[in-house]
Amino acid sequence: MYAGGSKEVIDVDSGDYQVTKEDEIAAIDYELRQIETEQQKLEDRKKVLLDRKQKLKDDALLQKSLNLAKKNWDTEDFSWSKNLKKALTDVFKIKELRPLQLPTMNAYLSNQDVILVMPTGGGKSLCYQLPAVISKGVTIVVSPLVALMEDQLHGLHKLKVNAKMLSAKAPKEDVKAVMTGLVDNKSDLKLVYVTPEYMAKSNRFRSKLQKAFEMKRLDRFAIDEVHCCSQWGHDFRPDYKFLGILNSMFPGIPILGLTATAPAKIIVDVQKMLEIQGCLVLRASFNRPNLFYEVRRKPNDKDTCLQMISNLLKHRFNGKSGIIYTTTIKESEQLTTDLRAQGLKVGCYHAMLEADYRTKVYSKWISGDYQAVVATIAFGLGIDKPDVRFVIHHCLSKSMENFYQESGRAGRDGKTSVCIVLYRLMDVFKLSTMVFQDKVGLQNLYKMLGYCLDQSSCRRSLIATHFEETWTKADCKEMCDHCKKPKEKKTLDVAPYCRYMYQIIAKAASSDQRLTPLKLIDSWYNKGPTNLRVDSVPTPKFPREVGEAIVGHLFINGYLQEDFHFSTYSTLTYVKRGPKAGLALANDHKIFMEMISD
Ligand code: ADP
Ligand code: MG
Ligand code: ZN
C-alpha cells in the first residue's frame, strides 16, 4: 500500500499538471501519520502480548505458592506450638495472635521460605521475633531503616531479649558483641538487625555468618520491607540485590520476607530476586472497614483552601485528633502558621526540625494539646496513637501505597475515622517533577491520580483493586463518598478534546514556546497569553474542573505526556503529545471516560 502510494505521486508528477512540493509533503505527512498509527497499534498489541506472557509465567509461580498455602499452617500441633504460646505470653505479654501470624510462624519454623504481605501495623515483626526467642541460634533481620531497627531494639530490650544491630554507625562494642555472639554456642544472642548495605559490604560479617552456619547457629533470615528488592516497587533499593545470594550461600536456612506492598507482579519479582520462586505467600486483607474515604476538590485559591481545612477542624472534626499531610517542609510550616492564625491548635512536624522539637510536637499531639499535626511524610515512623480520627491529604500522595499507609494511620482503634484527599490537577505536576526519575514513579503517581479523578467508583474498590484483592460492592457499607451518595454516570468520548489539545500543543511548538499543563488548560479556556490560544479550538461549555479531569484522563492513558526539563534550580514539566497520539489523530478513534451526569 505504501509503495503504491508513492508511485501514484510520481505518475501524477509526470503527468499534465504539476503537483506542488507542498502537496506532496502533505501527502507524505498523511501517509506517515497512518504508518505511525499502525505502528502504535502494533506496539500496543505487542505490549498486551508481552504482559500476557509474563502474567502466564507468573501465574505458574503463584499457583505453586497457592498450593503451599493450602496446607493447614494454622494449627497448634507442631512440635514448637507449646513453646511458642508460652513465649508469647511470658516474653511478649501478648494474649492472642492476630490473623496470619500463626500460619506464618509455623511455616517459617518448618523451614519454608515465606513472604508475608500485611498492612503496616498488622504485626509482621512478631512473626520472626517470636520464633527467634524460642530458638537456640540467631536470626538475622535485614531492615532498610536504622530508625526502624532502633525502635525494635528498644522494644526487645524492654522484654529482655538479646538483640543487636549492625550498621555503618554501630558502636565498636556492639559490632564485637555480634561477631563473637554469632559463633559462640553459649551466647544468648537471638536477633541481629542489619542494614542491607552492611550485609553487602562487610566481609567480616559475612564470614562470621558462614561460620555460624557451619556451627548450625544460623537459624533464619527475615527481610523487612522486602519489596525494596523489586524495581517495580515504589521503594527500590540497589543494596537489596545482594540478598539474592543468601539462598545459595546458606542452603536450607529459611527466608521470611515482609512487606505491606501487595501487587502480584512485585511479589513474583521479589521471589525471583531472592531465588525463592514459588515460596509460600500469605496475604492479609487490606480492607480497613472503619475508614471513610473521601476526595474533595481542592480550591485553587489559597485562602479558600485554608478556610475549608479550618472549617473541617472547627466543625466536623471538632474535639477530634488528626494529621494533615503536606508535600513540602515549606507548606507544612505555612499551613501551621495559617491555621494557628485561625485560632486552631496545631503543631508542625518535618525532617528538618530538631529531634527535641519533634518529640515535643508529638507529645503535645498525643496528650491532646494539639488537635492536629501538620506534617510532611517524615511523620509516620512509630506513630502510636489509636484514636486518630482524621487524616487530611493537603495534596495527593505519590502512590497508592503511600496513600494507603498515610491514611491508614487513622482509626487504629477500630472506630470510624475519615481520610480526605484534597485534590487538584496542578498538584500532580508538582509531584511529577519529584518522582519522574524513579523507574515507576510516574506510573505510581498516575494511579493515585486515577483514584482522585474517578467520579463514581467505590473508593474502597479502587484501593482493593490496587492491592489485588477481590471485592464486592456490598463490602463498603457506604463508607466512602461515592457509595454514600451514588451519582448517575455517563460515558463520554473525549477524543475530540484530545485533538484540540494537540492543536494547542502544535501552535505553541510552531512559535517555539513550551507549554505547561496550566497554560494548556488556560489556552483551552481562552485564558492566558493570547498567542497560545487557537481560534479553531472552541472554549468548553463545561466547568474548568471537568476540563482538567479530561486532561488528567489523557495523561493517565498515554495521549498526553509530561516532558521534563532541568533548569538551574528546579525541574520543570511541559506537555507534549503522548505515545498514543497516532491513534487519537485518526478520526474514528474514541477515548472513553466515565463522568457523572448532571
Ligand atoms: P508491622 O511491621 O506489620 O507494621 P509491627 O510488627 O511493627 O507491625 O507491629 C505493630 C504493633 O502491633 C506493635 O506495637 C506490636 O507490638 C503489636 N502487635 C503485634 N502482634 C500483636 C498481637 N498479636 N497482639 C497485640 N499486639 C500485637
Ligand atoms: Mg514493620
Ligand atoms: Zn464505597
Side-chain angles (χ1 to χ4, degrees):
M1 144 189 189
Y2 305 123
S6 55
K7 192 158 170 277
E8 224 167 68
V9 175
I10 294 165
D11 280 351
V12 174
D13 210 10
S14 61
D16 298 343
Y17 70 98
Q18 285 285 288
V19 170
T20 64
K21 288 211 168 54
E22 283 75 19
D23 284 346
E24 193 178 341
I25 289 175
I28 291 175
D29 274 345
Y30 175 75
E31 245 188 83
L32 282 174
R33 265 210 311 276
Q34 279 187 324
I35 294 172
E36 275 170 22
T37 307
E38 290 302 317
Q39 268 177 339
Q40 185 61 45
K41 276 188 191 155
L42 287 171
E43 283 295 328
D44 281 358
R45 181 68 188 149
K46 184 174 166 194
K47 192 170 171 304
V48 167
L49 288 174
L50 282 174
D51 281 356
R52 177 78 191 137
K53 184 174 159 193
Q54 190 58 47
K55 194 166 177 305
L56 287 170
K57 278 191 182 169
D58 290 355
D59 281 352
L61 282 184
L62 289 172
Q63 193 54 47
K64 209 172 148 203
S65 298
L66 222 61
N67 289 340
L68 263 175
K70 277 190 195 133
K71 179 168 168 167
N72 187 10
W73 299 104
D74 205 4
T75 73
E76 299 198 355
D77 33 55
F78 288 92
S79 61
W80 48 79
S81 295
K82 271 208 185 92
N83 282 342
L84 206 67
K85 202 160 189 177
K86 191 163 174 337
L88 181 69
T89 42
D90 292 1
V91 180
F92 289 91
K93 327 276 182 226
I94 288 177
K95 286 193 209 83
E96 246 182 287
L97 287 174
R98 292 188 185 148
L100 288 194
Q101 285 181 327
L102 185 61
T104 304
M105 290 189 269
N106 281 336
Y108 192 30
L109 282 160
S110 309
N111 290 334
Q112 288 283 346
D113 299 316
V114 186
I115 293 178
L116 173 63
V117 185
M118 190 185 257
T120 306
K124 291 187 284 296
S125 336
L126 191 70
C127 298
Y128 55 82
Q129 290 174 345
L130 184 52
V133 165
I134 62 161
S135 303
K136 278 214 178 66
V138 185
T139 296
I140 309 296
V141 184
V142 182
S143 174
L145 287 171
V146 174
L148 274 176
M149 294 197 269
E150 281 170 345
D151 249 23
Q152 293 211 11
L153 280 188
H154 189 68
L156 287 167
H157 291 161
K158 273 207 273 189
L159 304 172
K160 309 227 168 359
V161 175
N162 187 353
K164 293 255 156 22
M165 175 172 127
L166 289 176
S167 72
K169 287 193 209 113
K172 272 208 174 106
E173 315 85 86
D174 285 16
V175 178
K176 189 144 180 283
V178 173
M179 299 300 174
T180 46
L182 273 173
V183 292
D184 175 4
N185 272 322
K186 288 194 232 50
S187 162
D188 68 344
L189 181 63
K190 295 295 182 199
L191 290 138
V192 175
Y193 285 80
V194 57
T195 57
E197 302 83 63
Y198 199 93
M199 191 87 166
K201 291 190 185 109
S202 170
N203 289 326
R204 184 173 165 214
F205 179 55
R206 286 207 308 271
S207 76
K208 288 284 174 193
L209 275 185
Q210 198 65 48
K211 188 90 190 292
F213 174 67
E214 284 155 18
M215 293 172 69
K216 302 212 182 318
R217 277 187 57 69
L218 183 58
D219 287 334
R220 282 173 288 278
F221 287 106
I223 305 176
D224 210 356
E225 315 292 341
V226 76
H227 60 272
C228 296
C229 289
S230 167
Q231 300 212 22
W232 300 114
H234 54 107
D235 205 9
F236 171 62
R237 286 167 194 247
D239 275 313
Y240 265 72
K241 261 200 198 146
F242 172 78
L243 304 175
I245 65 156
L246 291 182
N247 209 17
S248 50
M249 220 164 131
F250 306 105
I253 306 296
I255 296 174
L256 169 62
L258 308 133
T259 180
T261 306
K265 185 174 175 169
I266 292 175
I267 301 303
V268 167
D269 201 30
V270 166
Q271 291 185 349
K272 285 181 195 154
M273 296 298 296
L274 293 177
E275 307 217 355
I276 53 172
Q277 282 100 328
C279 76
L280 174 64
V281 177
L282 294 170
R283 288 172 175 273
S285 168
F286 276 70
N287 185 23
R288 298 280 309 273
N290 61 315
L291 300 189
F292 185 91
Y293 293 100
E294 183 177 339
V295 177
R296 283 192 179 201
R297 193 177 151 66
K298 176 172 170 181
N300 277 320
D301 168 59
K302 196 171 145 271
D303 285 333
T304 320
C305 181
L306 175 67
Q307 222 44 60
M308 182 189 227
I309 300 174
S310 158
N311 277 334
L312 282 169
L313 264 63
K314 282 180 182 163
H315 302 106
R316 187 162 164 199
F317 302 132
N318 180 27
K320 293 179 177 160
S321 176
I323 305 172
I324 303 170
Y325 277 114
T326 61
T327 313
T328 64
I329 288 174
K330 215 170 122 197
E331 280 169 347
S332 67
E333 288 179 340
Q334 186 63 51
L335 188 58
T336 307
T337 311
D338 292 348
L339 287 172
R340 282 182 176 167
Q342 304 261 327
L344 287 157
K345 290 192 163 177
V346 294
C348 181
Y349 191 110
H350 57 70
M352 296 305 280
L353 294 166
E354 296 285 329
D356 287 353
Y357 185 86
R358 290 202 305 246
T359 314
K360 221 167 67 193
V361 172
Y362 181 70
S363 346
K364 280 194 166 181
W365 180 60
I366 293 283
S367 69
D369 283 351
Y370 285 151
Q371 179 181 11
V373 179
V374 184
T376 62
I377 54 170
F379 188 56
L381 277 188
I383 295 182
D384 193 13
K385 187 167 166 55
D387 62 341
V388 178
R389 290 282 81 88
F390 62 92
V391 171
I392 298 173
H393 276 86
H394 184 249
C395 168
L396 74 170
S397 303
K398 281 188 230 167
S399 68
M400 288 295 281
E401 274 78 16
N402 279 302
F403 170 66
Y404 179 85
Q405 204 164 44
E406 289 146 21
S407 61
R409 297 192 174 114
R412 284 278 162 80
D413 58 4
K415 295 191 184 140
T416 302
S417 308
V418 181
C419 309
I420 302 179
V421 180
L422 302 182
Y423 157 77
R424 72 167 172 216
L425 184 68
M426 290 311 148
D427 284 346
V428 173
F429 305 112
K430 208 171 57 184
L431 288 172
S432 65
T433 55
M434 295 158 77
V435 303
F436 78 101
Q437 279 168 318
D438 304 345
K439 186 168 174 186
V440 283
L442 273 185
Q443 206 179 313
N444 286 335
L445 176 62
Y446 287 171
K447 275 206 142 178
M448 185 66 210
L449 171 59
Y451 172 87
C452 296
L453 272 186
D454 198 300
Q455 305 207 34
S456 55
S457 313
C458 169
R459 304 275 180 206
R460 238 184 199 72
S461 76
L462 295 171
I463 296 171
T465 312
H466 180 79
F467 289 107
E468 299 185 6
E469 275 182 39
T470 45
W471 188 254
T472 53
K473 192 145 194 298
D475 293 331
C476 185
K477 307 198 168 42
E478 300 191 6
M479 283 292 279
C480 84
D481 49 1
H482 288 157
C483 289
K484 195 166 180 202
K485 253 200 204 152
K487 292 182 184 121
E488 283 292 309
K489 56 182 177 180
K490 62 177 181 205
T491 304
L492 191 73
D493 172 24
V494 297
Y497 306 120
C498 179
R499 294 190 273 272
Y500 293 152
M501 296 307 106
Y502 292 170
Q503 289 185 36
I504 299 171
I505 291 170
K507 168 121 187 218
S510 72
S511 58
D512 266 340
Q513 297 188 72
R514 288 198 181 127
L515 202 61
T516 60
L518 178 67
K519 282 190 180 153
L520 173 75
I521 295 169
D522 273 349
S523 161
W524 190 17
Y525 277 81
N526 215 18
K527 302 235 160 60
T530 39
N531 61 355
L532 285 176
R533 300 185 204 173
V534 180
D535 292 339
S536 55
V537 171
T539 308
K541 299 218 164 49
F542 40 74
R544 191 169 168 119
E545 60 183 275
V546 176
E548 288 187 1
I550 292 171
V551 168
H553 189 78
L554 295 175
F555 272 106
I556 295 176
N557 291 289
Y559 294 100
L560 291 175
Q561 192 176 358
E562 289 186 66
D563 186 13
F564 296 96
H565 288 261
F566 299 102
S567 78
T568 320
Y569 300 105
S570 59
T571 309
L572 303 167
T573 179
Y574 300 104
V575 189
K576 62 179 182 188
R577 288 189 198 176
K580 285 205 190 149
L583 287 180
L585 284 168
N587 271 328
D588 54 348
H589 183 71
K590 292 191 170 16
I591 306 171
F592 292 116
M593 182 175 172
E594 296 225 310
M595 305 250 196
I596 45 168
S597 48
D598 23 39

